[in-house]
Structure formats: structure tokens, C-alpha cells
Amino acid sequence: MGTMKAVRKLKREKGANLVDIEIPKIKSDEVLIKVLSTSICGTDVHIYKWDTWSENRIKNIPQTLGHEVCGEVVEVGSSVKKIKVGDYISAETHIPCKKCINCLTGNEHICMNGQILGVDRDGVFAEYAVIPESVAWVNDRAIPPEMASVQEPLGNATYAVLGEDYNIYGKRVAIFGDGPTALFAVGVAKLAGASKVFHIGVFDFNMEIGKKMGADYSLKATDNMDRVQFIRDNTDGYGADIVVEMAGAKQAVLEGLDSLRKGGRFSAFGITPEQKLEIDYNNQIVFKGIQIHGISGRRMFDTWLRLKNMLASKKLDISPVITNLFALEDFEKGFEEMMKIPRVSAKIVLFPDKKLLNERLKEFKK
Ligand code: ZN
């Protein structure tokens, strides 16, 4: 079927290479897409840098990187039922087994045997990619490619903010973290009806985006101030009704627990570098009567349906969070940009087709 360009990890060490490989063959329950756009996630940066997590987690090398994607279906397997050639799709990255107890009880996103695209199998930083039909999600054509490919992390943000009960209207929400997913979360919280959004982060560039996404209070985690007291002072002394932790820093977890009101909900999404974190179990959890909700993935496909509708209707504007569009072949520029400290970028989207990239850049710069 010919060859394609793909960004692959060839060796168990730092970096990745743009190489020519055979266009992959699909199995009967899979579809082949021509990738329109693909975005860089923090996970890809871990794999690119080849840290301890990647060394322990990544089994198959060589492997194509990337998992956030949108593309057009060019071929479908013989047992594929709903997806058709020509469909404009994105991919849920948690590939469920459809057999375990979680899959059978409506919790496919935390499948006991799940695989992750670009982690456990070849990813999408390529001209073509194989997507199992079970995770193919048909997009609305009104959603441009640079937004369609970031629906996966936007789904994390949506799920983390809304929780299981979608009960957020009129509540006061504190969001810790300033990566792209946290910035998405600010926008989702605001749109979902939060009466106040506190945004706590580190880098000026990202905090400014947080303001554009609707943060009412922008608090620097590095400033010498009592953020917990500030949040209490601005919530009638109670604390935030909902805390969304997306920094994965010990300080953010502890301040998040302390700034949550009694009976509140704590959405845990950030990954801490320490495997174990010491918390005051009695006072921060038990006596406060809080709920802790671990966020792994998104509701399949309730979260996807809601954010598709919000993006297609243009009710939710995520454009401030998308800061750079590059050609796929310039992926190294994207990774370098992502790794700069202090941060100078949020979401970076790559395009295999330069013609499409140029078209999108014209819109992007408006
Ligand atoms: Zn399963």
C-alpha cells in the first residue's frame, strides 16, 4: 500500500525520528485514517525525554508516538459496522477490552485490560494511523482539525470539572495547574455555570490564558501569600465547593484539600512525581466528608458527546489554549517548545499535510 512518514521512537533513549515506514495494515475491527492533525500531550513529552516512567511503561520499541488525533477514514475492516470511509473522526485513547467487569458496567474508560494509543501500541504522529472501531468517534465537521485533535485532553478537563453528577451550576471551583488540560478546565467550569473560578498556577504565559478562559481569580503558586485563606475569604469562609487538581505537585494537592469546603468534591487528575504523598487523612478527608474522584480518561462516550456539541455550537471557545501549529516534520520544534521553562506555549498541534497547515494558520492568526 506504500509508505508514510511517522515520528517514531527507535531506541530506548531520548528523542524520536521522522522515518519512512509501510502504511500499517488494519485488522477486521479497525479503521485506517489519513491523519489531519495530531497534538502533543505531556505523556508524549515524557516518552520523548525517555524518563523513568517511560522506561518502565513503554514495552514496544520501535513505536510511533502520539495519541491525540483527528483524521479522515480511508479504509474500514471487514467487521466494522458504524464507521464509514470518509468519516471525520477522532479517537478515544483508552482502548477497552469490552469483556471485563468495568467494561460490562459502563466504565470502559477504566477497563481492567485497557490499552492506550501511542503507549501500548503504535500512535498517531504519522500520515496514517490505525484506530480500533471501538474508540473511533465521529466528529462534527464544524469543528476544525486543530480543535478536533485536542478533544481527548479537553475530555479529561470536562470529566474532571463536571464529575459524575454534572452538578456545578452556581458552585465555586478552584483549579490547580496551568498545563493545557487545566486551562481547558477553567473554560469548562466557567461555561458549566461555576459562579467563581479560582485558577492557581505558576507560569505567567499560561496564567494569562487562564484569564482568557474565564478565571475570576488568578493566583500564583509561587507568590508568598496564603492561597487557602484567600479562597476561603472569597467563599464566605467555607472554601471551594469543587477542587480540580491538575498540577500533580505536592503543594497543589495539599492546598487543594485545605481549600475545599466540608462535603466538597476533589477531582484528582495531576500525577505527582512522588508515588506516595503524605496527607492528614483524618482532617483533610474523613472529618471533612469530602469525595475524592480519580480522573483517568473520560466517560465513553458521554463526555465526548457533550464536548462535541459545545465545540460545534461554538459555545465553548478553546482557541486561547491552542498556541502553536507546526508541520509534523517539525515535531522537534514542537517538543522543544513544550519543554521550555518558563512555559511559552500551551497546546501544540502538528499537521502532516503542509497545505492544510497553511490553510489553518490563516484562520489561526486572525
Ligand atoms: Zn475491559
Side-chain angles (χ1 to χ4, degrees):
M1 219 185 132
T3 62
M4 66 171 189
K5 296 215 180 300
V7 176
R8 287 173 63 88
K9 193 88 188 171
L10 299 179
K11 290 184 185 153
R12 304 186 73 85
E13 60 186 37
K14 191 190 170 199
N17 292 81
L18 185 73
V19 292
D20 287 301
I21 55 167
E22 291 279 311
I23 293 173
K25 289 188 174 57
I26 51 170
K27 297 199 192 94
S28 63
D29 59 351
E30 295 173 334
V31 306
L32 185 70
I33 61 167
K34 183 176 194 300
V35 175
L36 296 178
S37 77
T38 174
S39 31
I40 307 179
C41 168
T43 304
D44 304 317
V45 178
H46 285 292
I47 300 172
Y48 182 82
K49 287 202 263 190
W50 203 251
D51 56 10
T52 317
W53 174 85
S54 314
E55 178 62 45
N56 295 328
R57 182 68 177 77
I58 307 293
K59 301 281 178 277
N60 311 316
I61 297 286
Q63 182 169 278
T64 303
L65 271 68
H67 57 268
E68 299 176 11
V69 71
C70 79
E72 222 154 44
V73 176
V74 292
E75 192 189 347
V76 300
S78 57
S79 64
V80 166
K81 290 191 177 73
K82 66 172 201 270
I83 303 295
K84 298 181 292 293
V85 169
D87 278 351
Y88 173 42
I89 70 163
S90 283
E92 163 57 52
T93 56
H94 289 204
I95 303 168
C97 74
K98 300 263 190 191
K99 293 181 182 77
C100 76
I101 197 65
N102 280 353
C103 283
L104 296 176
T105 53
N107 291 294
E108 290 186 341
H109 63 298
I110 44 170
C111 168
M112 315 285 266
N113 316 302
Q115 280 200 334
I116 296 181
L117 206 58
V119 172
D120 298 307
R121 53 184 277 156
D122 272 334
V124 296
F125 284 2
E127 289 180 288
Y128 293 87
V130 174
I131 307 292
E133 185 189 24
S134 62
V135 293
W137 174 255
V138 179
N139 287 316
D140 192 306
R141 291 268 174 193
I143 304 172
E146 65 276 15
M147 291 187 187
S149 76
V150 306
Q151 289 177 102
E152 195 259 16
L154 177 59
N156 288 133
T158 305
Y159 185 34
V161 168
L162 301 180
E164 300 294 356
D165 59 5
Y166 306 103
N167 183 2
I168 180 167
Y169 189 74
K171 295 207 168 174
R172 296 178 285 203
V173 182
I175 294 163
F176 288 76
D178 59 14
T181 310
L183 300 175
F184 287 144
V186 172
V188 171
K190 198 71 189 178
L191 187 60
S195 59
K196 281 183 182 173
V197 177
F198 300 87
H199 181 218
I200 302 93
V202 173
F203 300 110
D204 292 328
F205 182 87
N206 300 47
M207 298 305 287
E208 286 305 312
I209 298 174
K211 288 178 196 166
K212 284 184 195 160
M213 294 303 287
D216 299 292
Y217 303 92
S218 190
L219 309 178
K220 290 282 286 283
T222 45
D223 279 354
N224 186 20
M225 68 172 286
D226 189 339
R227 282 165 294 278
V228 173
Q229 194 58 47
F230 181 91
I231 293 171
R232 284 190 194 143
D233 288 345
N234 286 283
T235 50
D236 309 303
Y238 299 140
D241 303 294
I242 297 168
V243 165
V244 180
E245 201 301 296
M246 297 190 144
K250 183 177 173 184
Q251 177 187 316
V253 174
L254 298 181
E255 287 185 6
L257 286 168
D258 284 338
S259 56
L260 186 63
R261 79 159 161 83
K262 276 193 165 187
R265 166 163 65 84
F266 185 94
S267 256
F269 176 76
I271 309 290
T272 65
E274 308 89 344
Q275 284 283 343
K276 295 181 181 174
L277 254 184
E278 200 171 299
I279 55 170
D280 181 347
Y281 183 77
N282 299 345
N283 292 307
Q284 287 179 310
I285 300 175
V286 182
F287 296 132
K288 274 180 91 167
I290 65 164
Q291 292 177 43
I292 296 185
H293 186 205
I295 303 296
S296 177
R298 304 133 290 275
R299 279 269 161 213
M300 294 161 66
F301 282 86
D302 184 81
T303 312
W304 282 89
L305 179 61
R306 287 168 193 260
L307 62 90
K308 167 187 183 167
N309 294 341
M310 284 305 200
L311 288 176
S313 64
K314 309 226 184 311
K315 291 266 192 315
L316 175 62
D317 180 15
I318 55 167
S319 56
V321 187
I322 300 170
T323 53
N324 307 73
L325 310 184
F326 291 130
L328 178 68
E329 61 180 48
D330 295 329
F331 70 97
E332 275 175 319
K333 223 159 84 184
F335 277 107
E336 292 305 323
E337 206 64 20
M338 288 273 291
M339 291 188 290
K340 280 182 189 159
I341 299 291
R343 283 181 193 268
V344 290
S345 69
K347 205 72 200 170
I348 295 177
V349 186
L350 307 172
F351 289 75
D353 178 2
K354 283 190 189 161
K355 198 173 147 232
L356 179 61
L357 169 64
N358 289 331
E359 265 173 42
R360 297 315 307 158
L361 275 173
K362 276 181 216 153
E363 285 294 312
F364 184 68
K365 282 172 182 158
K366 270 182 196 166

